[in-house]
Amino acid sequence: MKELVLIIPFIPLIIAGLIGVINNKEAIPRISMFFSAFIAVLGIFGAYFVIFEDENIYGFNNLLVFNELSAILVPYVAVLGMVIRKYSAKYMWDEKGYKRFFILLNFIFVGIYLLVMSNHLVVLAIAWQIMSLALYFLVSFNIESKSAVKFANWTILTHKGADLLFIIAVVLTYKTFGTFYLSELYDIWLSQYSALDTTPLIIYVIGFLYLFAAMMKSAIIPFHIWLPYTSEGPTPVSALMHAGVVNVGGIVLNKLAFLLLLTPLVLNIAFAFGLFTAIFASMIMLTTPDIKRSLGYSTVGQMGYMIMEIGLGAFSLAVYHLIVHGIFKASLFLESGSLIHYARHDPNIPKRLSYEVFWEEKIHNQHQSKNLFWLIALFTIIPVVIFAGIKFLLSEEFFHFNAAVVILAFAWLTGTQLFLSFFKVSLSDSPKVIIGLLVSFTLIVLTYEFVGKTMEEFIYGEHAKLFYEVASLNLSVIFALGLLVLILIVGWAYIYKQHFTDIEIDGEKPNKLKWTFYKLLSKEAYFPDLFLKLFKIF
């Protein structure tokens, strides 16, 4: 009975086949929802068995496995699939190719389930390929739009590059370790971690190939440009892409976590790329006027956080991060169409901070400026106190790992961003709202810590601390933290000076430094132009 959960990756194929042979349009969403609910039930049953029986479920000659990672991700993907299919039933009703859309949608779920449940590198590579092809056809769903097809070509170019790196890594893995089965590779990697004093160069090559393939699929800078420009695809596709497909890099790196125990430099590079992506993509997001593209850069920044967490050895935290972010981002994309419609009819949509800083010229008296300055300082310090206190209560070993220090720094950054998001609150002096924000932040951090710690013990057990030790950054982490602090301090000083003490008056020339910086961000650091030239070459 328990082996029944192993048919989950093939159920979307059944859905696609049934949709392909029926002519009743109204039956398409009914079939999709019925079998999607069945997948969700099977996923929950499998998760129950793994959690309470403490046993992994193998099948199809051990090609597939339902293990701890599957127990977490399969129910998540199943529920996400139900929501997206339900939304698509009405949203896509008047679109051409209604049947084609649902068939392609199910193929991408085949790829996701195979990727999560694979116990064989060849199966993993097949899932990797299926997702690339299905995503291309979904992004270019509106074939009458030249721009949609062009950006779909950008997407497939990036993903095919990732596929090539991944296949080379799979071949080298077999040549080096003698097996394709991940369950066997886990034991080999753990034994070599204990036995080897130095890691052979070929293992580092394999680690870097997997890392860069994952970074390309997860839109890490400089491989990110395909993601923000795929917003012309149907909204349900955007929701699925940002909540599921873009997370596959983090999922695959979790499946290869024990390999990365042998390659600490790979983890350090992952941290560096993730750190840069998290900061830079978030800055670009603030200057992007298109709501879907802005959400796209928000996802790029969050993928940076996810890869950074992996680079710190916090693999289970990255899994929790991708689930929470996926739910949140899917909701935003499914609501983005309504927001665009609302914005076209209501001129009173609240302005964003970037508009306030770069476009509007407001004069505030000195008293208001001083009050705001102290509120900024308050929102910068309080998150640090909250996070440090929670970590101290939860673990005496908090400061033993560099990873925890970096996570603390980013909690600080998140706290300051929280203030920016509610910029108007400070001007209205609303204590209730401010207290509510602080309480919400505290609850989020508590949840993040408890759930992350629980997942860490569930997925990796006694081996979890090994990742933190291997991912130690020493001097480089001190440099990164110093850079982060410098960015925060300079950023606050810059905003304060430009917006409150050096306000432009009509007739005066604008600040060149300010507009150069804004131009760089609004042009997305010229990555689209570079990518377009690269695409023409190929």
Side-chain angles (χ1 to χ4, degrees):
M1 182 66 179
K2 63 183 180 182
E3 286 79 11
L4 193 62
V5 300
L6 297 173
I7 69 170
I8 286 176
F10 307 106
I11 295 177
L13 279 178
I14 297 172
I15 301 174
L18 290 173
I19 291 173
V21 298
I22 64 173
N23 295 318
N24 186 351
K25 188 176 181 180
E26 294 181 352
I28 292 175
R30 294 174 185 171
I31 292 172
S32 297
M33 288 302 299
F34 174 79
F35 283 99
S36 297
F38 183 54
I39 293 174
V41 171
L42 283 179
I44 293 171
F45 169 74
Y48 176 86
F49 184 86
V50 170
I51 292 171
F52 292 99
E53 297 295 330
D54 195 22
E55 180 184 345
N56 296 336
I57 307 171
Y58 291 89
F60 298 102
N61 197 27
N62 288 341
L63 294 177
L64 298 180
V65 61
F66 199 97
N67 55 13
E68 291 84 0
L69 190 62
S70 304
I72 294 171
L73 291 176
V74 168
Y76 160 70
V77 175
V79 173
L80 179 68
M82 290 179 62
V83 172
I84 289 176
R85 288 183 178 97
K86 180 66 176 177
Y87 182 90
S88 302
K90 290 185 178 180
Y91 185 88
M92 300 296 297
W93 184 261
D94 295 324
E95 296 287 335
K96 296 179 180 178
Y98 189 76
K99 178 186 290 190
R100 174 167 58 94
F101 173 82
F102 273 90
I103 291 174
L104 290 171
L105 190 66
N106 281 288
F107 268 99
I108 208 165
F109 277 104
V110 170
I112 295 174
Y113 288 126
L114 276 178
L115 185 136
V116 172
M117 296 175 60
S118 60
N119 186 45
H120 196 278
L121 288 177
V122 174
V123 176
L124 197 60
I126 292 172
W128 201 253
Q129 294 280 336
I130 291 173
M131 292 183 65
S132 295
L133 292 173
L135 181 63
Y136 169 75
F137 288 117
L138 282 171
V139 170
S140 60
F141 182 78
N142 183 13
I143 57 176
E144 297 177 355
S145 171
K146 292 182 179 179
S147 58
V149 174
K150 180 180 73 172
F151 296 138
N153 290 335
W154 289 16
T155 301
I156 198 66
L157 176 64
T158 305
H159 280 244
K160 280 304 168 186
D163 294 342
L164 177 61
L165 295 182
F166 194 85
I167 291 172
I168 295 172
V170 168
V171 173
L172 291 178
T173 301
Y174 181 76
K175 288 287 186 180
T176 305
F177 301 105
T179 181
F180 286 115
Y181 287 95
L182 287 170
S183 55
E184 296 176 4
L185 287 168
Y186 295 159
D187 295 332
I188 294 172
W189 291 334
L190 277 171
S191 63
Q192 290 196 0
Y193 171 74
S194 303
L196 293 177
D197 293 327
T198 57
T199 301
L201 179 61
I202 186 63
I203 298 180
Y204 271 102
V205 172
I206 294 170
F208 276 115
L209 286 171
Y210 282 127
L211 172 64
F212 282 100
M215 285 169 50
M216 293 173 80
K217 289 273 189 176
S218 288
I220 301 300
I221 295 175
F223 312 112
H224 68 290
I225 202 63
W226 64 270
L227 183 62
Y229 281 82
T230 51
S231 58
E232 231 182 290
T235 295
V237 175
S238 297
L240 175 61
M241 189 163 49
H242 289 255
V245 176
V246 78
N247 294 316
V248 298
I251 296 171
V252 165
L253 290 178
N254 263 275
K255 294 178 77 71
L256 301 169
F258 292 116
L259 169 66
L260 300 180
L261 281 176
L262 304 173
T263 57
L265 182 60
V266 174
L267 292 175
N268 293 348
I269 296 299
F271 168 76
F273 274 95
L275 177 70
F276 178 76
T277 301
I279 295 174
F280 197 63
S282 299
M283 294 169 68
I284 295 177
M285 177 193 70
L286 295 174
T287 62
T288 304
D290 182 86
I291 184 171
K292 278 193 172 183
R293 195 176 301 169
S294 178
L295 288 174
Y297 273 103
S298 171
T299 297
V300 172
Q302 292 300 317
M303 292 303 100
Y305 276 101
M306 182 185 69
I307 296 298
M308 185 197 73
E309 288 163 346
I310 288 173
L312 293 169
F315 284 87
S316 56
L317 196 62
V319 174
Y320 178 57
H321 189 145
L322 70 87
I323 291 174
V324 175
H325 168 259
I327 295 171
F328 173 67
K329 195 55 63 70
S331 301
L332 286 180
F333 268 98
L334 295 179
E335 290 293 334
S336 62
S338 301
L339 181 59
I340 292 171
H341 176 78
Y342 179 63
R344 287 172 179 166
H345 295 83
D346 190 339
N348 299 315
I349 298 294
K351 299 180 179 64
R352 301 172 65 185
L353 178 66
S354 55
Y355 182 90
E356 295 281 343
V357 172
F358 291 108
W359 292 102
E360 279 199 350
E361 297 175 354
K362 289 188 176 181
I363 299 178
H364 299 272
N365 60 46
Q366 191 68 19
H367 177 70
Q368 287 176 316
S369 298
K370 287 182 178 179
N371 284 343
L372 185 57
F373 177 81
W374 287 113
L375 281 169
I376 288 173
L378 181 69
F379 272 80
T380 304
I381 294 169
I382 285 183
V384 180
V385 176
I386 293 173
F387 195 84
I390 291 170
K391 290 295 291 185
F392 178 77
L393 292 174
L394 289 179
S395 174
E396 296 178 357
E397 298 178 343
F398 170 48
F399 290 103
H400 290 189
F401 296 120
N402 288 326
V405 180
V406 176
I407 293 171
L408 168 60
F410 268 80
W412 180 10
L413 180 61
T414 303
T416 57
Q417 287 180 334
L418 182 68
F419 173 80
L420 286 173
S421 300
F422 292 88
F423 186 78
K424 293 290 184 182
V425 172
S426 61
L427 298 180
S428 62
D429 292 325
S430 174
K432 292 182 179 179
V433 177
I434 293 175
I435 292 172
L437 293 178
L438 293 175
V439 171
S440 299
F441 181 81
T442 306
L443 292 175
I444 289 169
V445 173
L446 277 169
T447 304
Y448 206 73
E449 283 304 300
F450 279 116
V451 175
K453 192 175 182 66
T454 302
M455 288 179 64
E456 186 175 84
E457 295 174 354
F458 176 62
I459 298 175
Y460 296 108
E462 61 183 357
H463 303 301
K465 288 188 178 181
L466 297 178
F467 300 120
Y468 292 108
E469 294 170 359
V470 171
S472 178
L473 295 171
N474 299 324
L475 292 177
S476 59
V477 75
I478 296 175
F479 172 78
L481 287 174
L483 179 63
L484 182 60
V485 171
L486 181 64
I487 291 172
L488 286 173
I489 294 173
V490 172
W492 282 126
Y494 180 79
I495 291 174
Y496 180 75
K497 181 177 183 299
Q498 292 292 331
H499 198 58
F500 299 107
T501 63
D502 193 23
I503 300 172
E504 299 291 340
I505 306 298
D506 291 339
E508 290 189 7
K509 294 182 179 180
N511 185 294
K512 291 183 178 180
L513 177 62
K514 173 176 126 178
W515 289 107
T516 300
F517 180 65
Y518 177 76
K519 182 180 179 181
L520 175 68
L521 294 178
S522 63
K523 291 288 185 179
E524 301 168 47
Y526 299 98
F527 274 111
D529 298 330
L530 293 172
F531 199 90
L532 183 60
K533 291 180 181 179
L534 179 65
F535 186 79
K536 287 181 179 179
I537 292 173
F538 286 96

